[in-house]
Amino acid sequence: MAEKLTAEEKTDPQPADAPQGQPTSSSSPNTDNLIAATNGSPQKTPQHPVGFIRQTELIDLVKAYDPNADENMLNRAYIFAMKAHGGQTRQSGDPYFSHPLAVAAILTELRADPATVATALLHDVVEDTDHSIDDIEEHFGSEVAQLVDGVTKLSQIELRDEASKQAENFRKFVVAMADDVRVLLVKLADRLHNMRTLHFIEKADKRRRISLETMEIYAPLAGRIGVQRFREELEDIAFRELSPDAFATISKRLDELHQHSVSGVVELANVLRQKLEADGLRAQVYSREKRAYSIWRKMQQKNVSFDELADIYAFRVLVDNVQDCYRALGIIHSNWRMIPSEFDDYISAAKPNNYRSIHTAVVGPPWRDGRRQRIEIQIRTYEMHETAERGVAAHWQYKDPGANGASVEIVGPKQYDPYETPRRLVEMFQGGEDLDEALQYAKLELFQDQVFCFTPKSRVIALPKGSTALDFAYGVHTDVGDQCIGAKVNGIQRPLRTPLETGDVVEVLRSDNAPVQAEWESLAVTGRARSAIRRRIKKMQYNEHLALGRSIAESVFTGAHLQFSLKGVRAGLRKLEKKSVEDVLVSVGRGDLPVNDLIEAVYPGASAASEGEIRPASLSEFKPSVAIAGLTPGVSVRMAQCCTPLPGERIVGIRGDAGNITVHTIHCERLAQDDPPQSRWLDLKWRKNDDEQHTAFARLNVTVQNGVGVLSEIAGIIARYGISIASMRLQNRSREFIDIVMDVEVKDAKQLAQALAGVRAAPTVLAAERIGTDNDEQL
């Protein structure tokens, strides 16, 4: 085994009662190819051979995919390794030979060539017995000897600490795998079996160290060469060790979901297959359940709960050729509404590890309970499926065993280079850097879901993919983010919203008096940046409300001929049910606490003695219920029907030929299309009168599931926000969906936005949006 494990870490491969103790041929039993829709019934994947398998069984596994396999070499390797390990045992007491035998069995799932299987059987012989590489070469030839040498443990390395030991070990490993990628496959299979038996290691800190190394190095390596089944299982076992509570919680939810959903998944798979067959396309359809770590990672990335995930169950559609992939996509999209944000075409643009497939998500057919579930679908050819399952091994082409040289060569698309990752890693270790630093760079190379940028002083800042220059500023330090006023990316000043790529050098421009804008929170991707921005905005708003509240209170008290004092406010805290004077003034500034209530608390009876509402002496009254500042008195004004501006929205005026003014929202699409000359533009803003009620109209389009009571449900939600429905009609009505178009009376854009958020949260609502009224008939 290529990794540096001590004797006490050599564990039993397959106890019957061990967690995840019996691996399946593709992954764990609850994760991959659960259901084949070819017959509509659940199918468990076949199990690995476990424990000791006989020579003939191992050879049969190899010859099933390579009829010309060298039986003699495999027999000799089996016997040689079994005798060499002799009486050695693992911590469980089982024969040590069970480990290399399990590694060999794992590699047969990838259809590894005979030399690689023999290497798996022999990979611990040189380190753990008296045999040498020369002995291996004498008995099995140079090819197997070189592979064994590449994966032999480096137990003689004596370095100053564990980190340096890992760095040196990894350096020698990547140099070996750059010569022959099969070294990497044996190494990954070796690590996979050790992870499956990790629970036998008694020391928790060692289990954690091995799990962290697996998560940071070996799982990403498996992904980079396309062996996703290895990556997923390595991640899942490491996740179980590193975050046991999260693993247990998600696993429990998965078990519950499986019990209630398996029959529905079978039905959906059959419906999908039947739709394809009805259009003359023969395809195999399988379902797949995500693993615990994959679910947790997606929950973290999208900041959603388990119940909000749409693709815990996904479907794979396998067809004969690329043309059929796009035919299947067309059939699926013509039957069910697609979700644009979930579409990816990895056939036209393959991933670096040569993964090719079409990913889409649709609002699928209803489940048995009538709910319409979002489902994820992957469409690929059988050849692409082989690549997705076996990675680089899918491109092996076996040679005649009598030919000179290696028994296998890698063939595949010209743009695919399986040695690209090993070569890049080797370059990092050969660049003269400190080994520990080189290891960190190697880890950066392996994480494709992150970007790694640099400060001008070459400090590495790791950020999630899609992060902006603003995220970078907060990634350096919260104070740097708070003082950020701009950024230079690779020496050129760029907007803070600029997405960053690995290798970018970012210089943060700073000021002690840097302002913060509310939209910054939407620009940020990282939780650290969003949290810091939110705290800063809340603090600034608190200070603004505090100052405004004090100003209003002083003005009102003066208008009522009463003395305002903080001591008096403090005396009224109990009556106001507030903890501090600051809380009182902030509530006044926000409008949550009427000033009359404050006066009543400080001067009981003073408010009742006053006539009507006590007003700040400085406030003026406006007779119009809604007025627009910036207009010439008497001018003819109308609201644009394409965007129907509401109070609170940013607006502009466009002067017509006759001098009339049409008011648009600043983001109006029609305005952008017409692009009137700047000479016709007027800078306008809303001006409200606090004394009089006003109303404005907006038109909404709400798409809901067709069902009894859905209209009253939507109307009830809107009414809860104090909004009146002026008119309503139904259109595009079908058995499944209804579009509800309604005109509503609102005070301002904020009230409408709150109501729309409430409507969208309803389980029966698929979409809710505000629309214009210019191209629609009158209600």
Side-chain angles (χ1 to χ4, degrees):
M1 72 191 181
E3 61 223 350
K4 178 63 178 169
L5 298 184
T6 62
E8 64 181 328
E9 293 172 317
K10 295 175 181 178
T11 57
D12 176 44
Q14 296 298 332
D17 58 347
Q20 293 203 18
Q22 294 189 359
T24 63
S25 61
S26 60
S27 56
S28 66
N30 69 338
T31 59
D32 205 10
N33 295 349
L34 275 176
I35 301 160
T38 50
N39 60 13
S41 60
Q43 296 183 351
K44 295 291 184 181
T45 45
Q47 300 263 319
H48 279 301
V50 296
F52 268 93
I53 59 175
R54 294 188 294 272
Q55 292 172 246
T56 55
E57 293 174 324
L58 180 62
I59 292 172
D60 287 344
L61 287 172
V62 177
K63 296 199 72 172
Y65 57 82
D66 183 10
N68 296 321
D70 188 344
E71 292 185 42
N72 182 43
M73 179 186 66
L74 292 172
N75 278 322
R76 287 186 289 111
Y78 187 104
I79 295 172
F80 188 94
M82 183 171 61
K83 289 183 177 180
H85 288 294
Q88 293 177 350
T89 61
R90 287 166 75 83
Q91 190 175 11
S92 65
D94 282 357
Y96 185 77
F97 180 57
S98 61
H99 167 67
L101 186 58
V103 174
I106 289 172
L107 287 168
T108 62
E109 300 166 14
L110 298 184
R111 302 183 180 182
D113 67 300
T116 306
V117 176
T119 299
L121 292 169
L122 300 165
H123 78 275
D124 275 339
V125 165
V126 173
E127 181 183 349
D128 290 340
T129 74
D130 294 332
H131 291 286
S132 66
I133 288 294
D134 291 338
D135 295 333
I136 301 296
E137 184 170 5
E138 178 183 348
H139 288 85
F140 302 99
S142 61
E143 181 184 8
V144 173
Q146 290 173 5
L147 291 172
V148 171
D149 189 39
V151 295
T152 296
K153 293 184 297 183
L154 307 171
S155 59
Q156 290 77 25
I157 297 174
E158 295 292 342
L159 295 173
R160 60 187 182 276
D161 55 35
E162 277 295 325
S164 295
K165 185 186 298 183
Q166 183 193 58
E168 175 65 11
N169 207 20
F170 190 65
R171 181 189 69 82
K172 292 189 175 183
F173 170 56
V174 297
V175 170
M177 77 179 185
D179 293 332
D180 195 325
V181 76
R182 291 176 291 175
V183 171
L184 175 56
L185 290 171
V186 177
K187 170 65 178 178
L188 292 173
D190 173 48
R191 176 54 68 115
L192 178 57
H193 183 256
N194 280 320
M195 290 300 291
R196 288 172 176 171
T197 58
L198 183 68
H199 52 278
F200 283 104
I201 298 176
E202 295 182 358
K203 296 183 178 180
D205 59 334
K206 287 188 176 181
R207 294 197 306 270
R208 184 172 182 83
R209 173 179 61 80
I210 295 169
S211 297
L212 189 61
E213 184 181 61
T214 298
M215 190 72 84
E216 290 183 344
I217 294 176
Y218 295 99
L221 273 172
R224 288 300 289 267
I225 63 170
V227 191
Q228 295 301 327
R229 62 172 69 175
F230 281 12
R231 175 175 187 166
E232 290 176 352
E233 190 173 353
L234 287 170
E235 289 175 336
D236 225 36
I237 301 174
F239 175 52
R240 182 179 62 192
E241 181 63 37
L242 296 172
S243 304
D245 293 339
F247 178 88
T249 300
I250 293 175
S251 297
K252 181 180 178 181
R253 294 296 304 274
L254 279 175
D255 289 341
E256 294 171 351
L257 183 66
H258 184 74
Q259 293 174 6
H260 294 91
S261 302
V262 64
S263 60
V265 172
V266 173
E267 281 191 17
L268 288 179
N270 279 317
V271 168
L272 182 56
R273 177 177 57 83
Q274 291 165 6
K275 290 288 186 182
L276 296 172
E277 287 185 351
D279 277 74
L281 183 61
R282 293 188 58 82
Q284 287 189 335
V285 180
Y286 298 92
S287 77
R288 181 181 187 278
E289 184 182 277
K290 278 186 176 292
R291 284 182 172 271
Y293 177 72
S294 178
I295 291 173
W296 180 86
R297 180 171 55 194
K298 198 155 192 177
M299 289 168 61
Q300 297 296 310
Q301 290 174 344
K302 295 194 171 185
N303 193 27
V304 296
S305 67
F306 183 94
D307 294 327
E308 292 176 289
L309 290 178
D311 57 351
I312 292 176
Y313 284 109
F315 295 90
R316 286 177 177 161
V317 176
L318 305 185
V319 294
D320 292 328
N321 53 57
V322 172
Q323 290 78 10
D324 285 348
C325 289
Y326 290 100
R327 280 187 62 201
L329 178 68
I331 294 170
I332 292 168
H333 283 182
S334 64
N335 281 277
W336 300 292
R337 180 180 299 186
M338 73 167 292
I339 303 170
S341 61
E342 300 294 330
F343 178 78
D344 290 292
D345 187 349
Y346 296 118
I347 293 181
S348 63
K351 290 187 176 182
N353 61 9
N354 199 39
Y355 175 85
R356 302 175 72 210
S357 185
I358 296 174
H359 290 195
T360 189
V362 298
V363 180
W367 295 69
R368 287 185 170 182
D369 59 5
R371 292 181 298 109
R372 299 182 70 86
Q373 178 72 25
R374 291 185 3 160
I375 58 175
E376 180 184 279
I377 302 171
Q378 299 170 357
I379 308 169
R380 60 179 69 146
T381 66
Y382 293 97
E383 181 182 356
M384 294 173 191
H385 185 64
E386 279 291 292
T387 299
E389 292 295 297
R390 296 169 52 213
V392 64
H395 300 288
W396 288 354
Q397 187 176 82
Y398 299 111
K399 296 180 178 179
D400 189 304
N404 294 327
S407 61
V408 63
E409 64 178 351
I410 298 176
V411 296
K414 292 182 179 180
Q415 69 272 19
Y416 174 53
D417 181 3
Y419 290 99
E420 179 182 2
T421 294
R423 277 199 298 265
R424 287 186 179 182
L425 297 178
V426 169
E427 288 173 2
M428 294 176 187
F429 282 99
Q430 292 177 342
E433 298 97 339
D434 178 77
L435 281 178
D436 296 344
E437 183 178 342
L439 177 61
Q440 292 304 312
Y441 281 120
K443 291 178 180 178
L444 303 190
E445 176 68 19
L446 294 175
F447 281 96
Q448 292 183 318
D449 56 348
Q450 288 185 299
V451 293
F452 301 90
C453 304
F454 299 85
T455 67
K457 294 184 178 181
S458 299
R459 176 186 167 190
V460 178
I461 305 296
L463 299 166
K465 190 174 182 180
S467 294
T468 65
L470 184 60
D471 291 299
F472 181 93
Y474 280 97
V476 175
H477 195 279
T478 301
D479 291 344
V480 175
D482 286 345
Q483 296 173 354
C484 176
I485 58 173
K488 289 184 178 180
V489 181
N490 301 322
I492 302 174
Q493 189 157 349
R494 299 290 189 189
L496 289 175
R497 68 173 66 88
T498 302
L500 300 179
E501 298 181 357
T502 295
D504 284 344
V505 178
V506 183
E507 177 186 356
V508 180
L509 307 179
R510 302 164 63 181
S511 170
D512 291 337
N513 299 316
V516 61
Q517 302 177 31
E519 58 265 26
W520 275 18
E521 188 176 346
S522 63
L523 297 181
V525 172
T526 64
R528 178 179 184 178
R530 288 186 174 186
S531 177
I533 293 169
R534 193 178 302 117
R535 285 196 304 270
R536 191 174 173 210
I537 290 175
K538 285 184 176 180
K539 183 178 180 180
M540 293 182 65
Q541 289 176 339
Y542 181 90
N543 292 334
E544 290 175 358
H545 290 146
L546 180 62
L548 178 61
R550 178 161 186 161
S551 176
I552 292 174
E554 289 177 344
S555 178
V556 172
F557 272 64
T558 300
H561 307 291
L562 299 171
Q563 182 180 1
F564 174 81
S565 69
L566 298 182
K567 182 179 179 180
V569 175
R570 191 175 295 111
L573 289 179
R574 177 173 295 183
K575 184 177 291 187
L576 294 171
E577 298 181 346
K578 300 292 183 181
K579 294 182 179 180
S580 67
V581 173
E582 288 77 12
D583 289 346
V584 172
L585 298 180
V586 168
S587 296
V588 172
R590 280 201 307 255
D592 298 336
L593 177 65
V595 185
N596 279 356
D597 292 352
L598 176 58
I599 290 180
E600 184 65 27
V602 177
Y603 296 100
S607 176
S610 303
E611 294 183 3
E613 178 85 14
I614 298 178
R615 303 181 182 278
S618 61
L619 291 185
S620 302
E621 291 196 31
F622 299 96
K623 293 184 178 180
S625 61
V626 178
I628 298 177
L631 292 174
T632 302
V635 70
S636 174
V637 181
R638 74 179 185 89
M639 300 300 170
Q641 298 303 297
C642 49
C643 53
T644 58
L646 294 177
E649 293 182 309
R650 292 182 60 192
I651 54 175
V652 294
I654 305 299
R655 181 180 288 107
D657 294 334
N660 57 303
I661 305 298
T662 303
V663 182
H664 293 262
T665 63
I666 192 68
H667 300 296
C668 176
E669 293 182 0
R670 177 69 62 80
L671 180 62
Q673 293 173 2
D674 293 343
D675 194 20
Q678 289 295 320
S679 59
R680 292 177 178 262
W681 288 57
L682 294 177
D683 185 18
L684 305 178
K685 62 181 180 180
W686 295 99
R687 181 171 57 212
K688 295 182 181 179
N689 185 325
D690 294 331
D691 294 333
E692 299 183 25
Q693 296 296 322
H694 61 269
T695 59
F697 285 89
R699 180 163 294 178
L700 308 181
N701 187 87
V702 183
T703 303
V704 299
Q705 297 176 2
N706 195 351
V708 177
V710 66
L711 294 179
S712 59
E713 178 186 11
I714 301 303
I717 294 173
I718 292 176
R720 287 201 295 271
Y721 289 88
I723 294 177
S724 299
I725 299 176
S727 58
M728 175 190 297
R729 79 164 183 270
L730 307 181
Q731 62 183 27
N732 300 328
R733 188 166 186 169
S734 68
R735 181 178 298 178
E736 294 85 10
F737 304 106
I738 307 174
D739 282 337
I740 305 172
V741 179
M742 62 182 76
D743 284 346
V744 295
E745 296 180 16
V746 297
K747 293 187 298 183
D748 51 32
K750 180 179 179 180
Q751 185 188 30
L752 180 63
Q754 292 172 341
L756 275 174
V759 171
R760 291 180 183 126
T764 57
V765 175
L766 298 177
E769 60 184 352
R770 177 181 164 194
I771 61 174
T773 61
D774 54 336
N775 291 325
D776 199 4
E777 64 188 59
Q778 295 298 317
L779 291 176

